[in-house]
Amino acid sequence: MAFLTPILLFGAAAFSIPLVIHLLNRRRFTDMEWGAVHLLETSIRQNRRRLRLLELLLLLTRVAIPILLALCLAGPILRGLENFMGKETSTMVLLDDSFSMTATDPRGIPFNRSRDEVGALLQSLPRGSEAQVVLMGSAAPLVDAPTSLVENLSQELRGREAVAGPIDTTASIRLAGSQFREMARAAGEVIVFSDFRSADWGAAGAAGRLEAIGALRDESTIAPEITLFPQQGGAENLSVHAVHVSALIVGRGQRISIRANIKNHGRASYPEVPVAFEVGETTVATSRVSLAPGEEAQVRFTHIFEEPGDQRITIRAQGDALEADNAFHAVIPVWEEVPVLLVDGAPSNRPLEGETDFLELALQPFNAAGRIGLADLIRPEVTTPNRVRSDVLERARVVIAANCRNSSGMNDLMNFVRDGGGLIFFPGDQVDVKWWNREAHGSRSLLLPCPVGDLRGARSAGGGPLAKSARILNQRLTHPALDFFNDPANGRLADVEFSLWHHLEIPEAKGDSADAAATVLLRLDNGDPLAVEHAFGKGRVIQFAVPADADWSNLPTQPVYVPLMQRLVTYLSTAGAPRRNIETGESLRAVFTEEEGGGEEMLVIDPAGEEHLVAVRREDDDRGILEFDRTSAPGFYRIQAVDGSETAARWFAANLSRRESDLTALTEEELESLAESLGAQIVRDREEYETMDHLRRLGTEIWRPLAFLVLAFLFLEMFLQQAITGRGARKEKVKRAGAQG
Amino acid sequence: MAGPTDILEPDDLARVKGLQFFARTIVEGFTTGLHASPHKGFSVEFKQRRPYVPGDEIRHVDWKVFARSDRYYIREFEEETNVRAHLLLDASGSMGYRGTGGIEKLDYARKTAACLAYLLMGQQDSVGLATFDTQVREFVPNRSRTSHLAVLLHALEMAAPGGETALPEVLLELVPRLQRRGLVLLISDCFGEVAPFVKALSLIRSRGHEVIVFQIWDRDELEFPFQRSTRLINLESRADAQIVDPASLRRSYLENLAAYREELAFGCRRHHVDLVPLVTDEPYAKSLSRYLDLRLRS
């Protein structure tokens, strides 16, 4: 028990007043000679004990009233956490440093406000307290371990900016929990500074959060008090939401189209927003777009890259307060060409009757159409199965085996894929199923993801509509080669009809072998897989259930055939190469071949121009691998040799996750519900926090129940008085009237 | 016609010295304008004649009328009651209570007795007096001559509050001394146990006496209005004193009082004893009025 104004406790001395009056009244009496003693004797005898008790109660009540009143006025506080007051605390701050915290409003930048609040809070901790700050966006603690040198934390925090991607609330709480377990002061506190956006704190991650917070409470030495500190900023935002490049890799001199999605996340209209297309540091085109509230618009640019190598492009919209998502960066590798070997199992002299005729057209459309000025990236070369040998394979990056009965160069083909090449397998009427199943998916090897199964469907009769056909299942595609087709403008896979197909039985994964893990890329609407992919050595294999020509389906005659084949081939040609476009916070990975060298260490230059010296790890095959994970800033990262030579130089682009662009915060009800589920309290500003903290340290004010108690005692006093002195004036009068008679 | 009691309050009258003067003032003031006694009897004042019937005393025959008319007529006169009244005055300690009104109960009782004596003596009744506490202190036998009043009043003046009351015992002691049947006027607060008291009254009644009990109350005794802590000293036994909180006792006191009065009234009714409560702040004439009312009824 503590008191806000303990001086008023002296008022309790007023209890002596009724006590003294009572005692004096006992000593002060008047003498009276009385005759009718016989009328009193029984009363005195009967009431003596009861009256003594009632008088004692009355005395106690009268004494208690001033004491309770003084207690009430002194502002009593019940201490729930005795150890909290003035004691050292373990304070864990979860600071949201995702870039949505930079959404400026008239009060400034929320992150800066939060940073200052955290700094002030750390400074106000009792001496000897220990603290740690977990940056939620960066998913990292501010310093390596919790420290009692809170000044260091404040120092570290001073230069921080909110440039991280979306926060993973569950992971952040887990990280905070693991750090909190190392802290062992008498009282614990976890304070969350965030803008509490729906995307981060919505119902989606609720279960994980609850589990993490439960673990934090259960596994810590002391269950911490949890406080949510909402730091909301502006709600208006315009973002370059996504950028799509029409090809996974681009050939020199090839015209590519770049589509940028510009989205208005707020409720304000943005008329005539300028959108710039930059290549390197140069703006090469500008467009304008008008956006109504909540609207998303597309801007399209075309460009021809004249030089091979990594090309940096940026789409930049101008005109809103949240800068971080106004630019989208991408690195596009520009290649001279992609050599592809088409193995035709059923060649024909007649046009479009050879097994690979459609493929050849699809992979080299501009060349086939005789268009001048448009370059095809892919250079196909057609051969027959019996010519597949290592010397031929050496010239190709991808091999497409179409309707091959068998292959004399099976071993060479396997080595080709194992070394990083790509293979697409199409079945057909010439295929020796038993041979392929034995040689390519059986005891000899596991080159194909799954065995070629029995035939399903029905052949069409007389060219009429198929009695029993199947289509590609319309679903959202996540594979990097196919996500392009999620936009119907890029081709409609669902239009393709299949009359016959091989059943592909996906084998169960065998142990940890990566080779055995098969992924279904496309599925028919009856559930049968259409295309299955798996890794084989350093390369990848895609197995289709239908041939590459128009015998069993209308796939080659559909518009989607060209982009589908192009993307599959370019995907396979780059499958072994690490991604050049990442989200901020993801690890950046570069692989150097033996020829490229790379040395023991390489330089990584971040978007701010700062150089980081990073060690290169050597694999058994002399490939060098560099990994760099300090990619919290969006922009271009350059990897180069320490001596500055260009041979091993690479560009990478890091973009902030666009999930952060939607600034919609939790509603008040949702926030309260969140606080309730986490067992947390919400505070809006420092003053409110200090009040709450004060109460929490000291306890709960209990003057109200005391005030009620005083009231109750006053009633009790009246009641006792009545009980002792009789039943009031009315009855007295009645008695008096009776006495008169 | 207004009398002195209509003008003077009991307090004023109390200041008047001399019981005789007091009694005369009260009684004459009270009786002025009253009609003569409706009771007819054989006295000095002629009222009418009526025919003789066997059994009438010969000496009441009007011989002059017989001489004239040769018939026997009896002469009737205004009644000459010649009541033997016994005034019994309680002078016990409890009668010494002087309430907030300032009038001592014994003083009030003494004056009431004086008034009654004066009234009775004025009607040629013979009046006797006994004052007592635990025992009979003064006993004045019945006389009807006028000079007897002075004796009575002197005895009354001499009465002073004494010790404890032993009312039943005293009454039983007095019974043999009230030789001829008459009127017993007991002036007392009647404090004490009711049953023995009522029994004593019944014994008096059995001897053929009419009994009127003037019960003297102080207003304080009826209302018990005290609030402050008080040490009650028993008037009848000074050693008996206890500190009480009167406010807390009031309710039960009043209940006890009501029960006591009820019991007493019931006992008196049962034995045809007239109980007349008198409060010391009431006019003295009230006792006379009640007395005459009762006499008329009888």
Side-chain angles (χ1 to χ4, degrees), chain A residues 437-457:
Chain A
N437 283 347
R438 187 178 67 244
E439 297 293 326
H441 188 90
S443 53
R444 299 280 179 87
S445 77
L446 287 170
L447 180 65
L448 293 181
C450 39
V452 182
D454 53 341
L455 265 181
R456 291 190 175 179

Side-chain angles (χ1 to χ4, degrees), chain B residues 127-144:
Chain B
V127 179
L129 172 70
T131 63
F132 58 87
D133 44 38
T134 48
Q135 54 189 321
V136 178
R137 294 289 173 197
E138 187 83 39
F139 187 84
V140 181
N142 288 60
R143 297 285 184 275
S144 58

Side-chain angles (χ1 to χ4, degrees), chain A residues 16 19 31 43 67 126 134 140 217 219 286 314 364 367 607 614 667 737:
Chain A
S16 56
L19 183 65
D31 280 342
S43 305
I67 293 175
V134 164
R217 282 185 201 280
E219 293 167 18
T286 308
T314 301
Q364 215 171 11
N367 222 12
V614 182
T667 61

Side-chain angles (χ1 to χ4, degrees), chain A residues 323-387:
Chain A
E323 284 287 339
D325 60 1
N326 286 0
F328 198 103
H329 311 283
V331 168
I332 301 176
V334 177
W335 292 19
E336 288 282 2
E337 60 180 15
V338 178
V340 176
L341 186 66
L342 304 178
V343 186
D344 191 343
S348 171
N349 292 329
R350 296 163 68 177
L352 296 178
E353 289 201 358
E355 197 68 30
T356 58
D357 290 355
F358 282 105
L359 276 173
E360 199 174 353
L361 282 175
L363 296 177
Q364 215 171 11
F366 300 130
N367 222 12
R371 301 275 295 269
I372 300 165
L374 294 173
D376 285 318
L377 170 67
I378 299 168
R379 184 175 55 77
E381 180 190 346
V382 182
T383 188
T384 52
N386 52 9
R387 288 184 189 163

Side-chain angles (χ1 to χ4, degrees), chain A residues 549-573:
Chain A
D549 63 4
D551 289 352
W552 294 4
S553 72
N554 63 359
L555 175 64
T557 60
Q558 292 295 316
V560 77
Y561 186 65
V562 175
L564 177 65
M565 290 304 141
Q566 291 249 345
R567 289 192 75 87
L568 287 176
V569 167
T570 49
Y571 163 72
L572 285 178
S573 66

